[in-house]
Amino acid sequence: MIRGLYTAAAGMVAQQRRHDTVTQNIANLNTTGYKQVESVVRSFPEMLLSRSGDASASGNTIIGRLNTGVFAEESMFSNVQGDLTASEKATDFALYSDLNVEDPNTGEFISFDASGKYISDNGEVIYKPQAFFTVQDNEGNVRYTRDGSFQVDAQGRLLSSTGFEVLSDNGEPIRLTGPLNQFKVDEQGRLVDPLTGNNTGVNLGITVVDNPYQLVREGNGNYVLDEASTGLARALGAEDRVQVKQGFLERSTVDPAQSMVDLTAALRAYEANQKVIQFYDKSLEKAVNEIGRV
């Protein structure tokens, strides 16, 4: 009976965390570049039950396996392309990336599923690479973001929405010298002269992360790559199909309808586990107050 209490309580905690994840998604429905987060729920390892001291059999009698509950293992964000919306601001940028990856076994280009994942014939899991703007925080640490709602300060520095310096492809902060209304960037991320159309030699720092699911969220749309991970980050190559859209912003990937369904499902599952605990509580009450008197 006590084991059932623990199992139901574990289910309530897991559903509460799932509920919190969905509400976070809904709160960031209009956040630029936000990636929908999914709460991954898994069961605890199964226990093998056996009956000891059975007089009719030698040794212990195997009864079977028992699951002892669930827990919210981790929260994973979906690294898929968000829709682009026009803002008409010269300092707003959006990335549209469709990076090709070859299957190491067949040599053919991989067709990823809706979540950006592919499983090869030998069971190897490959994730679709994603491109990110490269920024630098106040301590000089490199961060990655899909939020291209940039701004320019009084010193001409191009800053992200969180105040981080936007880096160029050579790792240096970008500083503008001309009027803001003449700030022009082509689809390859190159800053161009608005009068001549020539390349100024400064490019937006765009980083391609081979395994974006190994990025660690730091909040406010910023990510950091764990040094111990294998999700290598590299500079944008000429063969990579990534476009920079000036005057556009990437919308969040949150699905409002699915979020409401998930929110209701988490609530119903929470209530079901709550009813189980109430049942066990009444059973224990009878065992202590009524059966104990006999």
Side-chain angles (χ1 to χ4, degrees):
M1 184 178 297
I2 300 299
R3 185 182 292 119
L5 278 172
Y6 285 133
T7 302
M12 291 181 66
V13 173
Q15 294 304 323
Q16 180 181 1
R17 293 179 178 175
R18 181 186 176 193
H19 183 276
D20 294 341
T21 300
V22 177
T23 54
Q24 174 186 327
N25 290 334
I26 296 175
N28 289 278
L29 184 62
N30 296 318
T31 300
T32 302
Y34 179 82
K35 302 302 180 181
Q36 178 169 297
V37 180
E38 301 289 344
S39 181
V40 180
V41 179
R42 60 163 295 181
S43 62
F44 287 109
E46 292 182 336
M47 297 174 57
L48 181 62
L49 299 182
S50 61
R51 185 173 60 219
S52 60
D54 192 349
S56 61
S58 59
N60 298 336
T61 302
I62 302 299
I63 298 176
R65 296 182 180 274
L66 176 68
N67 195 292
T68 57
V70 298
F71 68 104
E73 181 180 26
E74 61 180 334
S75 296
M76 298 185 63
F77 54 94
S78 58
N79 273 290
V80 296
Q81 178 68 48
D83 296 332
L84 306 186
T85 179
S87 67
E88 305 300 334
K89 288 182 62 177
T91 55
D92 283 346
F93 297 92
L95 289 176
Y96 181 82
S97 59
D98 186 16
L99 300 170
N100 291 324
V101 179
E102 293 184 357
D103 190 319
N105 300 317
T106 64
E108 299 178 352
F109 286 121
I110 292 174
S111 178
F112 294 94
D113 61 17
S115 64
K117 184 173 66 174
Y118 169 80
I119 302 177
S120 63
D121 294 337
N122 60 1
E124 181 183 2
V125 180
I126 302 175
Y127 296 97
K128 187 173 185 178
Q130 288 292 339
F132 295 85
F133 295 110
T134 311
V135 297
Q136 178 179 273
D137 65 12
N138 299 328
E139 286 75 33
N141 301 312
V142 175
R143 298 293 181 263
Y144 309 102
T145 183
R146 295 281 293 197
D147 183 0
S149 55
F150 300 151
Q151 54 189 340
V152 180
D153 65 1
Q155 289 75 38
R157 299 182 303 168
L158 188 63
L159 305 177
S160 68
S161 60
T162 55
F164 294 169
E165 291 182 315
V166 179
L167 301 181
S168 63
D169 58 348
N170 59 7
E172 297 294 329
I174 296 178
R175 283 175 169 78
L176 306 181
T177 56
L180 186 59
N181 57 4
Q182 296 182 3
F183 180 43
K184 180 67 176 177
V185 178
D186 64 10
E187 290 190 346
Q188 282 71 48
R190 300 174 297 190
L191 276 68
V192 298
D193 189 321
L195 299 179
T196 63
N198 296 328
N199 187 6
T200 62
V202 179
N203 302 333
L204 286 176
I206 301 174
T207 302
V208 175
V209 180
D210 290 335
N211 186 355
Y213 287 96
Q214 291 186 338
L215 289 170
V216 179
R217 291 181 298 145
E218 285 196 335
N220 298 319
N222 297 313
Y223 302 88
V224 60
L225 189 61
D226 188 1
E227 295 179 357
S229 68
T230 58
L232 299 178
R234 57 183 175 84
L236 183 67
E239 72 283 355
D240 294 320
R241 296 196 299 177
V242 177
Q243 293 182 350
V244 179
K245 298 291 187 180
Q246 186 176 18
F248 287 82
L249 290 174
E250 182 180 5
R251 299 179 60 183
S252 71
T253 59
V254 177
D255 186 343
Q258 185 61 45
S259 296
M260 294 306 299
V261 172
D262 294 340
L263 197 67
T264 303
L267 178 60
R268 294 291 182 265
Y270 184 92
E271 292 176 342
N273 284 282
Q274 187 180 40
K275 294 293 185 182
V276 172
I277 290 181
Q278 291 174 352
F279 171 78
Y280 277 120
D281 180 60
K282 292 180 180 179
S283 299
L284 288 172
E285 181 182 3
K286 286 182 175 294
V288 173
N289 296 332
E290 297 181 14
I291 300 178
R293 295 172 184 171
V294 178

